[in-house]
Amino acid sequence: MPEQPANRWDQRYDHPRYYYGEEPNAFLAAHLPALPPGTLLCLAEGEGRNAVFAASLGHRVLAVDSSAVGRRKALDLAARRGVTLDYRCADVLVDDWAVDPWVGRAWDAIVLCFAHLEPGDAERMHARAAAALAPGGRLLLNSFSKAQFGRASGGPPRLDWLHDLATLRGQFPGVAWERAVEREVELAEGAGHRGAAMVIEMVGRRG
Ligand SMILES: C[S@@+](CC[C@H](N)C(=O)[O-])C[C@H]1O[C@@H](n2cnc3c(N)ncnc32)[C@H](O)[C@@H]1O
């Protein structure tokens, strides 16, 4: 696919180093290995660190992100790690990722890692993600909470793009939460996420 005109994420990622590093997010590294291998969708996946990790665990992975540079780097990381994944360069609000592209089933797992969008768009994406899960399908979410506002360790500089645990809990109809916490963690994810940060961690299951 020819690369689209550069967006601001392309510009951020257009560097030999990976902006958020090549290793998976620590919350996902802790929780993904507990899932049985299946189909797994990573929304707003960026440079592919989490998709590559999921593929290394035996999941069949589709990543979706609007950054063409992110896609190229994700596929390069996958090749270097000896795993395969599919990666669509697309807008998560427009692309139809409701079912997997291989057999057309709802997803066994969906990952949202720092997938911050403007509030109305985020709410729509979250509702679509909940609806796209198979019965028993798992939802893993890691994001910055509103308490992160003003900190330099990462995240959007807009309060309304940051998340609130109570609001998030209600944005995934049909998903029961096994873990839903806000806490302070020490991030060491490339140059992009570094230092003490306030995050939300959620693990859910579609009923
Ligand atoms: C903070 S980065 C997170 C990247 C990745 N999930 C990670 O944790 O390494 C946010 C990502 O969201 C993507 N993004 C933002 N809005 C998007 C949209 N409407 N459709 C697809 N991707 C989008 C950006 O391209 C960027 O890669």
Short mmCIF file of all heavy atoms in Angstrom, two decimals, residues 7-10 12-13 19-21 23 25 28 42-50 64-67 70 87 90-94 111-117 121 125 142 144 155-156 161 189 193, ligand 1:
data_model
loop_
_atom_site.label_atom_id
_atom_site.label_comp_id
_atom_site.label_asym_id
_atom_site.label_seq_id
_atom_site.Cartn_x
_atom_site.Cartn_y
_atom_site.Cartn_z
N ASN A 7 1.09 12.20 8.72
CA ASN A 7 0.34 12.87 9.77
C ASN A 7 1.31 13.13 10.93
O ASN A 7 2.50 12.82 10.85
CB ASN A 7 -0.87 12.03 10.19
CG ASN A 7 -0.49 10.69 10.78
OD1 ASN A 7 0.60 10.51 11.34
ND2 ASN A 7 -1.39 9.74 10.67
N ARG A 8 0.79 13.70 12.03
CA ARG A 8 1.74 14.09 13.08
C ARG A 8 2.37 12.86 13.74
O ARG A 8 3.49 12.92 14.24
CB ARG A 8 1.07 15.01 14.09
CG ARG A 8 0.22 14.37 15.12
CD ARG A 8 -0.41 15.39 16.03
NE ARG A 8 -1.43 14.77 16.85
CZ ARG A 8 -1.19 14.27 18.05
NH1 ARG A 8 0.01 14.35 18.57
NH2 ARG A 8 -2.15 13.69 18.74
N TRP A 9 1.64 11.73 13.71
CA TRP A 9 2.23 10.51 14.26
C TRP A 9 3.31 9.97 13.33
O TRP A 9 4.32 9.45 13.80
CB TRP A 9 1.14 9.47 14.52
CG TRP A 9 0.32 9.86 15.72
CD1 TRP A 9 -0.90 10.45 15.72
CD2 TRP A 9 0.71 9.73 17.09
NE1 TRP A 9 -1.31 10.68 17.01
CE2 TRP A 9 -0.34 10.25 17.86
CE3 TRP A 9 1.83 9.23 17.72
CZ2 TRP A 9 -0.30 10.27 19.25
CZ3 TRP A 9 1.89 9.25 19.11
CH2 TRP A 9 0.83 9.77 19.86
N ASP A 10 3.12 10.10 12.03
CA ASP A 10 4.18 9.70 11.11
C ASP A 10 5.45 10.49 11.42
O ASP A 10 6.55 9.93 11.43
CB ASP A 10 3.77 10.00 9.66
CG ASP A 10 2.80 8.98 9.09
OD1 ASP A 10 2.81 7.82 9.56
OD2 ASP A 10 2.03 9.34 8.19
N ARG A 12 6.34 11.87 14.20
CA ARG A 12 6.90 11.43 15.49
C ARG A 12 7.63 10.09 15.34
O ARG A 12 8.67 9.86 15.94
CB ARG A 12 5.77 11.30 16.50
CG ARG A 12 6.21 10.89 17.87
CD ARG A 12 5.12 11.13 18.88
NE ARG A 12 4.99 12.53 19.20
CZ ARG A 12 4.04 13.03 20.00
NH1 ARG A 12 3.13 12.23 20.52
NH2 ARG A 12 3.99 14.30 20.27
N TYR A 13 7.07 9.21 14.54
CA TYR A 13 7.65 7.86 14.40
C TYR A 13 8.77 7.79 13.38
O TYR A 13 9.46 6.77 13.28
CB TYR A 13 6.56 6.87 13.96
CG TYR A 13 5.44 6.60 14.96
CD1 TYR A 13 4.18 6.21 14.52
CD2 TYR A 13 5.65 6.73 16.33
CE1 TYR A 13 3.15 5.95 15.41
CE2 TYR A 13 4.63 6.48 17.24
CZ TYR A 13 3.38 6.09 16.77
OH TYR A 13 2.36 5.83 17.66
N TYR A 19 9.49 5.16 19.16
CA TYR A 19 9.16 6.24 20.08
C TYR A 19 8.72 5.71 21.45
O TYR A 19 9.02 6.30 22.48
CB TYR A 19 8.07 7.14 19.47
CG TYR A 19 7.87 8.42 20.22
CD1 TYR A 19 8.86 9.40 20.25
CD2 TYR A 19 6.69 8.67 20.92
CE1 TYR A 19 8.68 10.58 20.95
CE2 TYR A 19 6.50 9.85 21.61
CZ TYR A 19 7.50 10.79 21.62
OH TYR A 19 7.32 11.96 22.33
N TYR A 20 7.98 4.59 21.44
CA TYR A 20 7.57 3.96 22.71
C TYR A 20 8.34 2.67 22.97
O TYR A 20 7.90 1.83 23.77
CB TYR A 20 6.06 3.68 22.71
CG TYR A 20 5.24 4.95 22.56
CD1 TYR A 20 4.46 5.18 21.42
CD2 TYR A 20 5.26 5.94 23.54
CE1 TYR A 20 3.73 6.35 21.27
CE2 TYR A 20 4.54 7.12 23.39
CZ TYR A 20 3.78 7.31 22.25
OH TYR A 20 3.07 8.48 22.11
N GLY A 21 9.46 2.50 22.30
CA GLY A 21 10.30 1.33 22.50
C GLY A 21 9.80 0.13 21.70
O GLY A 21 8.76 0.17 21.04
N GLU A 23 9.67 -3.00 23.22
CA GLU A 23 9.14 -4.02 24.15
C GLU A 23 7.68 -3.68 24.48
O GLU A 23 7.27 -2.51 24.42
CB GLU A 23 9.98 -4.05 25.42
CG GLU A 23 11.45 -4.36 25.16
CD GLU A 23 11.65 -5.59 24.27
OE1 GLU A 23 10.95 -6.59 24.49
OE2 GLU A 23 12.48 -5.53 23.35
N ASN A 25 4.19 -2.88 26.40
CA ASN A 25 3.76 -2.17 27.59
C ASN A 25 3.74 -3.16 28.77
O ASN A 25 3.32 -4.31 28.62
CB ASN A 25 2.37 -1.60 27.31
CG ASN A 25 1.67 -1.13 28.55
OD1 ASN A 25 0.82 -1.85 29.08
ND2 ASN A 25 2.01 0.04 29.02
N LEU A 28 0.48 -4.98 29.63
CA LEU A 28 0.15 -6.03 28.67
C LEU A 28 1.10 -7.22 28.80
O LEU A 28 0.68 -8.37 28.68
CB LEU A 28 0.18 -5.47 27.25
CG LEU A 28 -0.92 -4.44 26.96
CD1 LEU A 28 -0.74 -3.85 25.57
CD2 LEU A 28 -2.31 -5.08 27.08
N CYS A 42 -5.41 -5.10 17.85
CA CYS A 42 -4.77 -3.97 18.55
C CYS A 42 -5.19 -2.68 17.85
O CYS A 42 -4.80 -2.46 16.70
CB CYS A 42 -3.26 -4.08 18.49
SG CYS A 42 -2.54 -5.43 19.42
N LEU A 43 -5.96 -1.86 18.53
CA LEU A 43 -6.42 -0.60 17.94
C LEU A 43 -5.46 0.54 18.30
O LEU A 43 -4.97 0.61 19.44
CB LEU A 43 -7.82 -0.27 18.46
CG LEU A 43 -8.93 -1.21 17.96
CD1 LEU A 43 -10.24 -0.92 18.68
CD2 LEU A 43 -9.11 -1.09 16.45
N ALA A 44 -5.22 1.43 17.33
CA ALA A 44 -4.27 2.54 17.51
C ALA A 44 -2.93 1.99 17.98
O ALA A 44 -2.37 2.42 18.99
CB ALA A 44 -4.84 3.58 18.50
N GLU A 45 -2.39 1.05 17.20
CA GLU A 45 -1.25 0.24 17.63
C GLU A 45 0.10 0.88 17.41
O GLU A 45 1.11 0.43 17.93
CB GLU A 45 -1.35 -1.14 16.96
CG GLU A 45 -0.18 -2.06 17.15
CD GLU A 45 0.22 -2.30 18.60
OE1 GLU A 45 -0.57 -2.01 19.51
OE2 GLU A 45 1.35 -2.76 18.83
N GLY A 46 0.18 1.94 16.62
CA GLY A 46 1.45 2.65 16.48
C GLY A 46 2.53 1.81 15.84
O GLY A 46 2.34 1.22 14.77
N GLU A 47 3.70 1.75 16.49
CA GLU A 47 4.87 1.08 15.91
C GLU A 47 4.92 -0.42 16.19
O GLU A 47 5.92 -1.07 15.87
CB GLU A 47 6.14 1.73 16.43
CG GLU A 47 6.28 3.18 16.05
CD GLU A 47 7.32 3.88 16.90
OE1 GLU A 47 7.15 3.91 18.14
OE2 GLU A 47 8.31 4.38 16.35
N GLY A 48 3.89 -0.97 16.80
CA GLY A 48 3.72 -2.42 16.80
C GLY A 48 4.27 -3.20 17.97
O GLY A 48 4.20 -4.43 17.98
N ARG A 49 4.77 -2.52 19.00
CA ARG A 49 5.43 -3.27 20.09
C ARG A 49 4.49 -4.28 20.74
O ARG A 49 4.90 -5.40 21.06
CB ARG A 49 5.97 -2.29 21.13
CG ARG A 49 4.89 -1.42 21.77
CD ARG A 49 5.46 -0.29 22.60
NE ARG A 49 4.41 0.55 23.15
CZ ARG A 49 4.25 0.78 24.45
NH1 ARG A 49 5.05 0.23 25.33
NH2 ARG A 49 3.29 1.58 24.87
N ASN A 50 3.23 -3.91 20.93
CA ASN A 50 2.29 -4.82 21.61
C ASN A 50 1.75 -5.89 20.66
O ASN A 50 1.56 -7.04 21.07
CB ASN A 50 1.14 -4.01 22.22
CG ASN A 50 1.65 -3.02 23.24
OD1 ASN A 50 2.47 -3.36 24.09
ND2 ASN A 50 1.19 -1.77 23.15
N VAL A 64 -4.45 -1.97 13.80
CA VAL A 64 -5.04 -0.89 13.02
C VAL A 64 -4.51 0.44 13.56
O VAL A 64 -4.56 0.67 14.78
CB VAL A 64 -6.58 -0.90 13.09
CG1 VAL A 64 -7.16 0.22 12.22
CG2 VAL A 64 -7.14 -2.25 12.65
N ASP A 65 -4.00 1.26 12.68
CA ASP A 65 -3.51 2.59 13.08
C ASP A 65 -3.43 3.44 11.81
O ASP A 65 -3.19 2.91 10.72
CB ASP A 65 -2.13 2.48 13.74
CG ASP A 65 -1.71 3.75 14.46
OD1 ASP A 65 -1.42 4.76 13.78
OD2 ASP A 65 -1.67 3.75 15.71
N SER A 66 -3.59 4.75 11.97
CA SER A 66 -3.57 5.62 10.79
C SER A 66 -2.16 5.99 10.34
O SER A 66 -2.01 6.65 9.31
CB SER A 66 -4.38 6.89 11.07
OG SER A 66 -3.98 7.46 12.30
N SER A 67 -1.15 5.58 11.07
CA SER A 67 0.22 5.97 10.70
C SER A 67 0.87 4.96 9.77
O SER A 67 1.12 3.80 10.13
CB SER A 67 1.08 6.11 11.97
OG SER A 67 2.45 6.27 11.61
N GLY A 70 4.19 4.06 11.25
CA GLY A 70 3.98 3.07 12.31
C GLY A 70 3.83 1.68 11.73
O GLY A 70 4.42 0.72 12.23
N TYR A 87 -1.45 -5.66 9.50
CA TYR A 87 -1.48 -4.28 9.99
C TYR A 87 -2.19 -3.44 8.93
O TYR A 87 -1.71 -3.33 7.80
CB TYR A 87 -0.05 -3.78 10.19
CG TYR A 87 0.08 -2.48 10.98
CD1 TYR A 87 0.76 -2.44 12.18
CD2 TYR A 87 -0.47 -1.29 10.50
CE1 TYR A 87 0.91 -1.27 12.91
CE2 TYR A 87 -0.33 -0.11 11.21
CZ TYR A 87 0.36 -0.11 12.41
OH TYR A 87 0.50 1.06 13.12
N ALA A 90 -5.23 2.63 8.74
CA ALA A 90 -6.61 3.10 8.59
C ALA A 90 -7.03 3.89 9.82
O ALA A 90 -6.43 3.77 10.90
CB ALA A 90 -7.55 1.90 8.42
N ASP A 91 -8.08 4.66 9.65
CA ASP A 91 -8.70 5.39 10.76
C ASP A 91 -9.57 4.40 11.54
O ASP A 91 -10.46 3.77 10.96
CB ASP A 91 -9.56 6.52 10.17
CG ASP A 91 -10.15 7.43 11.24
OD1 ASP A 91 -10.30 7.01 12.39
OD2 ASP A 91 -10.49 8.57 10.88
N VAL A 92 -9.33 4.27 12.84
CA VAL A 92 -10.12 3.30 13.62
C VAL A 92 -11.60 3.65 13.66
O VAL A 92 -12.43 2.81 13.94
CB VAL A 92 -9.61 3.18 15.08
CG1 VAL A 92 -8.24 2.55 15.15
CG2 VAL A 92 -9.64 4.51 15.80
N LEU A 93 -11.93 4.91 13.36
CA LEU A 93 -13.33 5.32 13.39
C LEU A 93 -14.04 5.02 12.08
O LEU A 93 -15.27 5.05 12.01
CB LEU A 93 -13.43 6.82 13.68
CG LEU A 93 -12.85 7.24 15.02
CD1 LEU A 93 -12.70 8.74 15.09
CD2 LEU A 93 -13.72 6.72 16.15
N VAL A 94 -13.28 4.70 11.05
CA VAL A 94 -13.86 4.48 9.72
C VAL A 94 -13.71 3.02 9.29
O VAL A 94 -14.61 2.43 8.74
CB VAL A 94 -13.17 5.41 8.68
CG1 VAL A 94 -13.64 5.08 7.28
CG2 VAL A 94 -13.45 6.87 9.03
N VAL A 111 -7.13 -5.14 22.27
CA VAL A 111 -6.18 -4.38 23.09
C VAL A 111 -6.27 -2.91 22.73
O VAL A 111 -6.21 -2.54 21.55
CB VAL A 111 -4.73 -4.89 22.85
CG1 VAL A 111 -3.71 -3.95 23.46
CG2 VAL A 111 -4.56 -6.31 23.40
N LEU A 112 -6.41 -2.08 23.76
CA LEU A 112 -6.36 -0.63 23.60
C LEU A 112 -5.24 -0.13 24.51
O LEU A 112 -5.37 -0.18 25.74
CB LEU A 112 -7.69 0.01 24.04
CG LEU A 112 -8.90 -0.31 23.16
CD1 LEU A 112 -10.19 -0.03 23.92
CD2 LEU A 112 -8.85 0.53 21.90
N CYS A 113 -4.14 0.30 23.91
CA CYS A 113 -3.00 0.74 24.72
C CYS A 113 -2.71 2.20 24.40
O CYS A 113 -2.23 2.52 23.30
CB CYS A 113 -1.78 -0.14 24.42
SG CYS A 113 -0.38 0.19 25.49
N PHE A 114 -3.00 3.07 25.32
CA PHE A 114 -2.82 4.51 25.14
C PHE A 114 -3.51 4.98 23.85
O PHE A 114 -2.96 5.80 23.11
CB PHE A 114 -1.33 4.89 25.14
CG PHE A 114 -0.64 4.52 26.43
CD1 PHE A 114 0.37 3.56 26.47
CD2 PHE A 114 -1.02 5.12 27.62
CE1 PHE A 114 0.99 3.22 27.65
CE2 PHE A 114 -0.39 4.79 28.82
CZ PHE A 114 0.62 3.84 28.83
N ALA A 115 -4.69 4.45 23.62
CA ALA A 115 -5.48 4.82 22.43
C ALA A 115 -6.36 6.02 22.80
O ALA A 115 -7.57 5.89 22.97
CB ALA A 115 -6.33 3.64 21.97
N HIS A 116 -5.73 7.18 22.92
CA HIS A 116 -6.44 8.40 23.32
C HIS A 116 -6.96 9.14 22.10
O HIS A 116 -6.18 9.50 21.21
CB HIS A 116 -5.52 9.32 24.14
CG HIS A 116 -5.18 8.77 25.48
ND1 HIS A 116 -5.98 8.95 26.58
CD2 HIS A 116 -4.13 8.02 25.90
CE1 HIS A 116 -5.45 8.35 27.62
NE2 HIS A 116 -4.32 7.78 27.24
N LEU A 117 -8.26 9.33 22.06
CA LEU A 117 -8.90 10.10 20.99
C LEU A 117 -9.71 11.20 21.64
O LEU A 117 -9.89 11.22 22.86
CB LEU A 117 -9.85 9.22 20.17
CG LEU A 117 -9.29 7.94 19.54
CD1 LEU A 117 -10.39 7.22 18.76
CD2 LEU A 117 -8.10 8.23 18.63
N ASP A 121 -15.14 10.61 19.96
CA ASP A 121 -14.57 9.55 19.14
C ASP A 121 -14.16 8.36 20.00
O ASP A 121 -14.36 7.20 19.63
CB ASP A 121 -13.35 10.07 18.36
CG ASP A 121 -13.72 11.07 17.29
OD1 ASP A 121 -14.91 11.14 16.93
OD2 ASP A 121 -12.82 11.80 16.81
N MET A 125 -15.43 4.51 19.68
CA MET A 125 -14.49 3.40 19.50
C MET A 125 -14.67 2.36 20.60
O MET A 125 -14.66 1.15 20.33
CB MET A 125 -13.05 3.92 19.51
CG MET A 125 -12.01 2.82 19.42
SD MET A 125 -10.32 3.47 19.31
CE MET A 125 -10.10 4.17 20.95
N ASN A 142 -5.15 -0.04 28.60
CA ASN A 142 -4.19 0.70 29.42
C ASN A 142 -4.16 2.12 28.88
O ASN A 142 -4.01 2.34 27.68
CB ASN A 142 -2.80 0.05 29.30
CG ASN A 142 -1.81 0.64 30.26
OD1 ASN A 142 -2.15 0.98 31.39
ND2 ASN A 142 -0.57 0.77 29.84
N PHE A 144 -3.84 6.68 30.06
CA PHE A 144 -3.53 7.70 31.07
C PHE A 144 -4.83 8.22 31.68
O PHE A 144 -5.80 8.49 30.97
CB PHE A 144 -2.77 8.87 30.45
CG PHE A 144 -1.37 8.53 30.04
CD1 PHE A 144 -1.01 8.46 28.70
CD2 PHE A 144 -0.39 8.28 30.99
CE1 PHE A 144 0.28 8.16 28.31
CE2 PHE A 144 0.92 7.98 30.62
CZ PHE A 144 1.25 7.92 29.28
N GLY A 155 1.49 11.14 27.43
CA GLY A 155 0.05 11.35 27.31
C GLY A 155 -0.32 12.65 26.67
O GLY A 155 0.50 13.57 26.55
N PRO A 156 -1.58 12.73 26.20
CA PRO A 156 -2.04 13.95 25.52
C PRO A 156 -2.10 15.13 26.50
O PRO A 156 -2.44 14.95 27.66
CB PRO A 156 -3.44 13.57 25.02
CG PRO A 156 -3.87 12.41 25.85
CD PRO A 156 -2.63 11.70 26.28
N TRP A 161 -9.00 14.55 26.81
CA TRP A 161 -8.56 13.34 26.11
C TRP A 161 -8.09 12.28 27.10
O TRP A 161 -7.88 11.13 26.71
CB TRP A 161 -7.40 13.64 25.14
CG TRP A 161 -7.82 14.32 23.87
CD1 TRP A 161 -8.65 15.38 23.73
CD2 TRP A 161 -7.38 13.98 22.54
NE1 TRP A 161 -8.78 15.73 22.41
CE2 TRP A 161 -8.00 14.89 21.65
CE3 TRP A 161 -6.52 13.02 22.02
CZ2 TRP A 161 -7.80 14.85 20.27
CZ3 TRP A 161 -6.32 12.98 20.65
CH2 TRP A 161 -6.95 13.89 19.80
N GLU A 189 9.19 3.48 28.56
CA GLU A 189 8.78 3.04 27.22
C GLU A 189 9.35 4.01 26.20
O GLU A 189 8.73 5.02 25.87
CB GLU A 189 7.25 3.01 27.12
CG GLU A 189 6.57 2.19 28.21
CD GLU A 189 5.06 2.08 28.01
OE1 GLU A 189 4.42 3.09 27.67
OE2 GLU A 189 4.52 0.98 28.20
N HIS A 193 7.25 7.65 26.73
CA HIS A 193 6.64 7.46 28.04
C HIS A 193 7.75 7.18 29.03
O HIS A 193 8.31 6.08 29.06
CB HIS A 193 5.67 6.26 28.01
CG HIS A 193 4.45 6.46 27.18
ND1 HIS A 193 3.67 5.42 26.72
CD2 HIS A 193 3.84 7.60 26.74
CE1 HIS A 193 2.64 5.90 26.03
NE2 HIS A 193 2.73 7.22 26.02
C1 LIG B 1 -0.01 7.21 22.06
S1 LIG B 1 0.09 6.34 20.51
C2 LIG B 1 -0.06 4.68 21.10
C3 LIG B 1 0.59 3.67 20.20
C4 LIG B 1 0.58 2.24 20.71
N1 LIG B 1 -0.73 1.77 21.08
C5 LIG B 1 1.55 2.03 21.84
O1 LIG B 1 1.11 2.02 23.00
O2 LIG B 1 2.76 1.91 21.57
C6 LIG B 1 -1.50 6.67 19.80
C7 LIG B 1 -1.69 6.09 18.41
O3 LIG B 1 -3.04 6.33 18.00
C8 LIG B 1 -3.04 6.46 16.60
N2 LIG B 1 -4.30 7.11 16.23
C9 LIG B 1 -4.81 8.28 16.70
N3 LIG B 1 -6.02 8.52 16.17
C10 LIG B 1 -6.27 7.47 15.33
C11 LIG B 1 -7.37 7.13 14.48
N4 LIG B 1 -8.47 7.91 14.40
N5 LIG B 1 -7.30 6.00 13.77
C12 LIG B 1 -6.22 5.20 13.84
N6 LIG B 1 -5.15 5.45 14.64
C13 LIG B 1 -5.19 6.59 15.37
C14 LIG B 1 -1.79 7.26 16.29
O4 LIG B 1 -1.39 7.10 14.96
C15 LIG B 1 -0.82 6.66 17.32
O5 LIG B 1 -0.06 5.63 16.73
#
